Amino acid sequence: MENCSKDYPTSIVQLPDDCLYFIFNWLDSASDRQSFGLTCHRWLQIQNSSRRSLQFQCSFTKIDIASLSQSTMKINAFHLHRFLNRFQQLHFLSLSGCVEMPDSGLRQLQYYGSKLQTLHLHCCFGITDCGVSLAASGCPSLTTISLYSCNVTDIGLKALSQSCLALRDVDLSYCSLISDHGIRALSKNCRQLRAIRMSNCRSVTGVGFMGCSQGLTYLEANGCKLEPDGIMAIVSGGGLEYLNLSCISWCILGDGLRAIGAGFATKLKVLDFRLCRTIGDKSIIAIAKGCPLLQEWNLALCHEITKAGWEAIGVHCHNLEKLHVNRCRNLCDEGLQALRYGCKKLSVLYISIHNYRRISSTAMEIFKCLRGDVKIIEEEVMCIAPNSAFQ
Amino acid sequence: MAELMGPRLYSCCNCKNQVALHDDVISKAFQGRNGRAFLFSHAMNVVVGPKEDRQLMTGLHTVADVYCSDCREVLGWKYERAYEETQKYKEGKFILEKSKIVKENW
């Protein structure tokens, strides 16, 4: 032991790479990691290949107040090439906010994207089907992708569904060119699909979901032009726990939403019908009976629900904890009484008290007296999505 | 079938909230912020905003913006006061822009 270090002093450069990786991972401050990388090329390489996530200032997820006043550098394809060349072991890449990034910027993903799990392309208006295909072919391990507001059509979705079979969370909000064909490709091939956001996809009617897997637990379809067949298809998988159908008032006439209560959506826990103006008592009664596990239900601005509907909710929604009835024009004293008698597990009631024409202050006071366990909140909540996906 | 016999209505373009009856149209020859607008004697399910003075094509008026009561989309304005004799007939009436309302039931 004494003779080993007599001739040459040992130094850290003699450590093998995996030891240096280990040491690097213990560094928890950014400046330490920077200094590590500035030491020599070998250590720079270790720093580069230890990086797991990359995002830019334009995505606004981490707001640094001091830098807000400076103009941000626009990330273009050349920059992205250099970055992807340098950081080849990324798991998370966000190009959100890079509005001018062209498809060619994603080309390097074909060589270095094999470990990529999460790709965010929010508002990447320059990305089209071509770019999505490049990303799909280069990133077979992709589990989460966001194409919010991208110019993507069914062709891009089909490319995704063929290469990225491990896809779990997909955000397609505001992709108005997507139709049921693309949705069908995704739901048929990506059987691990857990969550889909397709808010305001105007060309989707919902029929593409027929035969979706039971793993689909989270779906946001607000603002879509859904049809009754589409609603049937959406619940056909049997595993939905969160469903957002707000603001589809003009598409589903009368009882089109009754299908949700037909026995396929028994696992539904959170349901959002905000501003579904045409949903009537028949649908509400069917859903109250058919979704016994319902915990949160948003019925704000559902003007067509009358006493029969409120009574059904009171009688059948045994597990309901949060109910939103803000500005419902046909919620009167008797409806409030029905809710008071039932919904034993109710803990929060979102209701507008002050400019109410139909509910007398007496009825409101009786409710507060006899149901002191229920918190009354006047606020209108726009989004009741659970945190179970898109983390 | 009952809808065909009912009154002809106009609804908010955004959320289909019923805002006016066709029977209440006084004139279809008005100009809104971006295009044609109709003058109505009554509007329902709307929220009237704060009053402000505005210089319109026909002179100075005190108007208040009118919003859909459900989705808060600006649909037009209400004439609160007119300052020229020839414009007094508009007081208390509503302008709803053609691009912001849709026909319902007809």
Side-chain angles (χ1 to χ4, degrees), chain B residues 53-65:
Chain B
D53 290 329
R54 240 182 253 170
Q55 190 68 245
L56 301 172
M57 275 184 353
T58 42
L60 181 70
H61 294 82
T62 305
V63 299
D65 276 340

Side-chain angles (χ1 to χ4, degrees), chain A residues 145-289:
Chain A
I145 185 164
S146 170
L147 297 169
Y148 186 112
S149 214
C150 295
N151 290 325
V152 174
T153 71
D154 293 336
I155 299 172
L157 282 194
K158 283 189 184 140
L160 262 183
S161 69
Q162 271 154 11
S163 312
C164 305
L165 301 173
L167 264 185
R168 232 177 23 189
D169 297 343
V170 181
D171 189 346
L172 302 169
S173 306
Y174 291 93
C175 294
S176 43
L177 303 170
I178 288 182
S179 80
D180 291 292
H181 297 294
I183 299 289
R184 185 172 291 125
L186 266 187
S187 102
K188 211 169 81 157
N189 296 345
C190 304
R191 298 309 277 179
Q192 314 274 356
L193 260 188
R194 173 180 70 169
I196 296 189
R197 282 186 184 148
M198 43 178 225
S199 319
N200 296 287
C201 289
R202 303 262 160 187
S203 312
V204 176
T205 67
V207 293
F209 281 101
M210 188 51 88
C212 58
S213 81
Q214 206 184 18
L216 187 65
T217 56
Y218 178 123
L219 178 59
E220 284 191 352
N222 47 312
C224 298
K225 293 203 184 300
L226 300 176
E227 289 175 7
D229 295 342
I231 303 284
M232 263 319 309
I234 282 174
V235 294
S236 64
L240 264 185
E241 289 175 13
Y242 165 60
L243 181 58
N244 181 347
L245 294 178
S246 55
C247 306
I248 57 165
S249 50
W250 53 91
C251 312
I252 307 286
L253 295 172
D255 299 323
L257 291 175
R258 210 182 337 176
I260 299 176
F264 296 105
T266 48
K267 295 203 180 137
L268 212 50
K269 287 191 188 145
V270 180
L271 191 50
D272 194 343
F273 281 165
R274 186 177 181 278
L275 245 190
C276 285
R277 182 187 301 287
T278 55
I279 188 170
D281 288 338
K282 285 211 186 92
S283 298
I284 294 294
I285 294 170
I287 296 173
K289 285 184 187 162

Side-chain angles (χ1 to χ4, degrees), chain A residues 250 277 301 303 327 329, chain B residues 14-17 45 69-70:
Chain A
W250 53 91
R277 182 187 301 287
L301 294 161
H303 301 309
R327 300 199 272 157
R329 281 194 208 137
Chain B
N14 201 18
C15 68
K16 297 296 190 290
N17 186 15
N45 299 325
S69 63
D70 282 352

